[in-house]
Amino acid sequence: MTETLDIKITKTSHSRLAQTDFNNLPFGKIFTDHMLLADYADGEWKNFEIVPYGEIGLSPAISALHYGQAFFEGIKAYKHSDGTVSIFRPDKNAIRFNKSAERLCMPALPEDIFVQSIAALVDLDRDWIPSAPNHSLYIRPAMFATDPFLGVNPSATYKYMVLTCPVGPYFSKTLRVKIEEKYTRAAEGGFGYAKAAGNYGGAMLPGKKAVEEGFDQLIWTDGKEHQYIEEMGAANVMFVLDGKLITPSLDLQTILDGVTRDTVIALANDWGFPVEQRRISVAEIIAGAKSGALTDAFGAGTAATIAPVGSISYHGEEYFLSDPKTREFSQKVLHTLDGIRYGRSEDPHGWNYIV
Ligand SMILES: *Cc1c(COP(=O)(O)O)cnc(C)c1O
């Protein structure tokens, strides 16, 4: 059953579009003219409205700030050369949104309401979507607890909001990464599979240390032994080893069920390229890097897209991989994905949600 969403729209009288420099779009700093807000209270979602982007008033006691009942999503919309606007697989994000909500003891938002609310905002601010190569509109839905109450209990009230930012490429270079062996992002039984705000707060110190050591990113390993690969920064990690696409499985619930990860696996399946979702040891990746059996390695995420790994460091040794431009698999993925997202090629899986 599809519920139709009633959204009150208040348009800005001072559009910032004309003064925005689309040749200089630092990630996540430039917001479009509008944002969407809604409230959860008395057991239901209400007050869906689109208003001019700006500050919102909140109690300093909200439990999102004190206890981390907060999570988010990341989605992109693309402008095709004929002006068509598409959002990439928002239905997948709607499902994950509710998985995060459930784990954090927060209310679900019906999937069709999630998608419709995003489409309404993207439609209103469609002139903000850049059409240059590798540019898009980054969409940031989020939900957080708003009870002004310092007890450690699930809140009874919540806010849902959607912000949008025109963006260019996230990483502009090949990444130098290290295998993290001290810090842990997620543990079995924890909430690594949720896009929970707290997962990112806890990742900042290890990330900063890695940058101080000269790396661009770190590869997270399992919390028990630090011997199995999990993710790369805030993206999934994928390899081509011995002619097979391999990526950590979702079974232990310590990693995010990424939409980009799922998309790359689907493309590999389309091409008859062998895929394994399983435990991957650091030892086999390092052995593959040494022998040359590791022919591709990349991060996969909505913000990062397909981010090639140039070298992997482990126990003080740096292992260099081939030049990303010569990597058959990830180049084909990039080319195919771009073709679909920008409407240049067929979309056989129906991944584009046309606005
Ligand atoms: C968002 C995210 C990903 C990538 O998910 P996508 O749906 O592809 O954007 C992977 N890992 C983590 C930790 C993330 O936060």
Side-chain angles (χ1 to χ4, degrees):
M1 195 186 75
T2 303
E3 300 173 52
T4 316
L5 180 60
D6 223 355
I7 305 177
K8 182 179 165 218
I9 298 179
T10 308
K11 287 192 193 172
T12 182
S13 51
H14 298 91
S15 174
R16 287 173 280 102
L17 184 59
Q19 14 352 327
T20 301
D21 177 6
F22 279 79
N23 294 313
N24 179 23
L25 294 171
F27 186 89
K29 287 192 178 162
I30 315 278
F31 295 91
T32 65
D33 279 332
H34 301 93
M35 62 183 179
L36 181 133
L37 300 172
D39 298 308
Y40 183 87
D42 308 317
E44 60 173 340
W45 286 105
K46 51 187 134 190
N47 311 333
F48 283 84
E49 57 171 347
I50 291 176
V51 296
Y53 173 83
E55 293 184 1
I56 52 176
L58 292 164
S59 156
I62 61 169
S63 67
L65 290 177
H66 298 268
Y67 308 122
Q69 256 198 317
F71 68 93
F72 63 96
E73 269 302 328
I75 312 176
K76 276 179 177 171
Y78 298 86
K79 171 113 17 113
H80 305 188
S81 58
D82 67 355
T84 300
V85 168
S86 62
I87 306 175
F88 194 72
R89 305 188 74 184
D91 49 318
K92 286 282 288 178
N93 298 88
I95 294 167
R96 190 171 66 196
F97 194 77
N98 286 332
K99 279 192 192 152
S100 296
E102 185 198 30
R103 182 61 180 82
L104 294 169
C105 225
M106 295 166 71
L109 180 66
E111 288 165 25
D112 52 337
I113 300 283
F114 176 90
V115 174
Q116 283 180 54
S117 64
I118 287 165
L121 181 63
V122 169
D123 188 26
L124 184 65
D125 281 340
R126 65 195 298 137
D127 292 344
W128 281 85
I129 307 174
S131 49
N134 301 318
H135 285 58
S136 58
L137 187 75
Y138 184 75
I139 304 166
R140 167 53 60 85
M143 192 201 296
F144 56 92
T146 52
D147 274 9
F149 168 56
L150 293 180
V152 186
N153 277 318
S155 183
T157 63
Y158 295 88
K159 195 169 280 295
Y160 164 60
M161 67 183 185
V162 186
L163 311 177
T164 50
C165 301
V167 296
Y170 191 78
F171 292 120
S172 45
K173 57 173 179 176
T174 303
L175 303 175
R176 186 170 180 232
V177 307
K178 72 167 234 191
I179 306 273
E180 177 61 54
E181 292 181 278
K182 177 177 180 199
Y183 296 104
T184 301
R185 191 191 84 94
E188 286 176 52
F191 53 97
Y193 67 90
K195 231 171 160 70
N199 282 333
Y200 303 84
M204 284 181 190
L205 179 67
K208 178 169 170 262
K209 289 192 169 185
V211 168
E212 283 165 2
E213 292 165 32
F215 300 103
D216 302 303
Q217 277 291 333
L218 49 77
I219 289 187
W220 297 107
T221 49
D222 70 285
K224 277 187 194 155
E225 303 173 75
H226 294 295
Q227 283 192 25
Y228 297 95
I229 287 178
E230 299 215 315
E231 299 201 67
M232 192 178 95
N236 292 112
V237 65
M238 310 186 92
F239 304 93
V240 176
L241 182 69
D242 291 322
K244 285 180 249 170
L245 175 67
I246 63 169
T247 194
S249 82
L250 304 173
D251 295 347
L252 301 175
Q253 296 204 312
T254 51
I255 70 170
L256 217 81
D257 181 359
V259 178
T260 316
R261 174 187 180 281
D262 184 80
T263 301
V264 173
I265 291 171
L267 290 176
N269 286 334
D270 286 353
W271 302 331
F273 197 94
V275 180
E276 287 177 2
Q277 301 182 54
R278 59 170 174 84
R279 287 207 103 177
I280 299 172
S281 69
V282 174
E284 66 180 307
I285 292 304
I286 297 303
K290 278 185 187 162
S291 72
L294 183 70
T295 53
D296 215 328
F298 55 92
T302 298
T305 63
I306 301 295
V309 171
S311 73
I312 302 176
S313 291
Y314 183 57
H315 289 172
E317 282 289 328
E318 184 167 12
Y319 301 93
F320 291 90
L321 307 182
S322 62
D323 178 353
K325 288 191 275 315
T326 67
R327 298 184 194 170
E328 230 171 284
F329 184 83
S330 51
Q331 287 295 316
K332 189 172 172 187
V333 166
L334 263 177
H335 181 78
T336 308
L337 261 181
D338 274 355
I340 295 171
R341 286 166 165 165
Y342 292 97
R344 290 192 295 265
S345 44
E346 290 286 292
D347 174 21
H349 294 275
W351 285 333
N352 288 336
Y353 179 97
I354 307 295
V355 177

